[in-house]
Amino acid sequence: MVVDAPTAVVQCLSSVLDGRHRWRALGIPQMRSELICGVQLVDAFRHSTGVECDAVRAAAKIRIAAARLSTVLDLSDGGAESPMETVLRLLVLECLPPGYRWVSQLDLGRGRWGGTAPDLACPELKIALYYDGASHDSPDVRARDKAIDRQLESEGRQVLRFNRADIGVASVRRAVRAAVQVALDLLRMPGVAS
C-alpha cells in the first residue's frame, strides 16, 4: 500500500512519540527525547517533501492526540536542513525577547556574497546563527565563511557559528545559549532582557 507524505509522517511520528522507535537525541532542557526526535522527524519531512502542518493535522485524525501533535508542529520548522539545525533551533528557541522569532534559512543576499542563508536568524535584531557541519572543516569553506561573517558584521549583524562539538555536550549547550544572549545584549536594543 502506498501512502501520501502527511500519512507517512503521522505513522512515523506516532511510533516516535510512543517510544517504539528512537535514536540518540541531544538533550535540551525541559524537553523529552521523544519530543526532540519528533520535531526532528517532522522538520525533515517538511523540508524534503514540502508537507504542510495542516495536512499533517488532517492525516493524524485519531492516531495522535491533538494537543501532543500541536506541541510538535508548533516547534517544527520546514527550513531546518539537518537534525543538528533542529537541535540548535530548539536550544535557542527561548533566547529571543517576546515579540521576536527565529527564521530559518533567511536569504541575506545569495548573489552578492557567494551565498549565505543563516540556519537561524532574527531579522529585526540582526542576529544570524549558523550550524557548521563537517563540510565547513575545509580551509576553502572556512575562508568563505569568514568572508561572509565579515560582510554580515559590516552590515551591523551579530554572527554566531556553532558546530557539533558546541552542541553535542550538555555543559557546552549552556554556553551556546549564553553566547546567543551575549550577542543579543550587545545589540543594546530596547526590550532585550538578559
Side-chain angles (χ1 to χ4, degrees):
M1 176 161 74
V2 177
V3 297
D4 60 10
T7 302
V9 73
V10 167
Q11 290 173 344
C12 295
L13 181 60
S14 175
S15 70
V16 168
L17 294 177
D18 291 344
R20 293 182 309 232
H21 293 93
R22 67 181 75 218
W23 52 90
R24 185 178 161 267
L26 297 174
I28 297 173
Q30 286 83 42
M31 281 193 193
R32 297 186 61 206
S33 63
E34 293 86 3
L35 176 59
I36 297 165
C37 290
V39 174
Q40 286 176 321
L41 176 75
V42 173
D43 281 2
F45 261 90
R46 290 181 64 197
H47 182 73
S48 63
T49 68
V51 69
E52 296 291 334
C53 290
D54 288 341
V56 173
R57 280 186 218 288
K61 298 177 186 161
I62 60 169
R63 191 161 191 139
I64 301 173
R68 196 171 196 196
L69 180 64
S70 287
T71 300
V72 173
L73 295 179
D74 289 348
L75 292 171
S76 175
D77 184 329
E81 294 180 338
S82 73
M84 291 303 284
E85 287 181 20
T86 297
V87 168
L88 176 60
R89 186 184 71 252
L90 294 175
L91 188 61
V92 300
L93 194 62
E94 296 176 358
C95 290
L96 293 178
Y100 295 94
R101 67 181 184 86
W102 293 111
V103 177
S104 290
Q105 308 304 324
L106 180 68
D107 185 351
L108 295 178
R110 288 186 177 275
R112 298 182 300 170
W113 327 121
T116 185
D119 298 314
L120 287 176
C122 179
E124 302 86 2
L125 296 178
K126 292 190 169 189
I127 185 167
L129 308 182
Y130 290 87
Y131 172 75
D132 292 343
S135 65
H136 292 261
D137 291 344
S138 78
D140 290 344
V141 175
R142 277 197 302 257
R144 183 191 62 128
D145 288 346
K146 285 183 183 183
I148 289 169
D149 293 355
R150 283 192 301 273
Q151 180 59 46
L152 294 176
E153 289 165 355
S154 76
E155 296 171 3
R157 297 182 193 279
Q158 293 286 322
V159 180
L160 298 171
R161 289 187 179 271
F162 304 103
N163 59 35
R164 186 164 185 86
D166 296 326
I167 296 174
V169 178
S171 61
V172 181
R173 284 193 294 276
R174 286 189 294 275
V176 168
R177 292 173 99 159
V180 170
Q181 189 59 57
V182 167
L184 289 168
D185 290 346
L186 288 174
L187 294 170
R188 296 190 176 102
M189 298 289 293
V192 177
S194 52

